[in-house]
Amino acid sequence: PGLPLASGLYRVEMSFETGSTGGTRLGHFYVESRHSRSVDAPVVAGSAAVVEFRPGTNLPARFVFVYSRNADMAIRSVTFTRLSP
């Protein structure tokens, strides 16, 4: 919902569950703020879904997931971990 993040480098991880076979592409996600956007992080069954993101100073950030509809899945959590200032 566009929550402000302090400036710095963040690791963003999406935890999910799916019954699909390993290697099935489920979609991708990215994180954006007013002046920056992460690269697309692929969401693939059997693999971690992680990206690094550096927002501008105390700007709202938004997590965006683009679902491919290749298989059923459930998002369990999205975690922002600050790595450095």
Side-chain angles (χ1 to χ4, degrees):
L3 300 173
L5 290 175
S7 64
L9 180 63
Y10 289 82
R11 178 181 191 265
V12 183
E13 181 172 8
M14 184 180 92
S15 297
F16 62 94
E17 292 180 4
T18 182
S20 63
T21 58
T24 302
R25 183 161 177 108
L26 303 169
H28 68 273
F29 76 87
Y30 59 91
V31 184
E32 65 183 358
S33 65
R34 181 176 295 168
H35 301 293
S36 59
R37 183 185 189 279
S38 72
V39 298
D40 290 350
V43 178
V44 178
S47 299
V50 178
V51 73
E52 289 187 355
F53 173 67
R54 186 179 295 277
T57 304
N58 205 29
L59 290 174
R62 181 176 308 265
F63 171 87
V64 179
F65 175 62
V66 180
Y67 180 47
S68 70
R69 299 182 186 159
N70 288 331
D72 291 339
M73 65 170 294
I75 297 173
R76 295 297 176 207
S77 66
V78 177
T79 305
F80 286 71
T81 303
R82 191 170 183 208
L83 301 176
S84 67

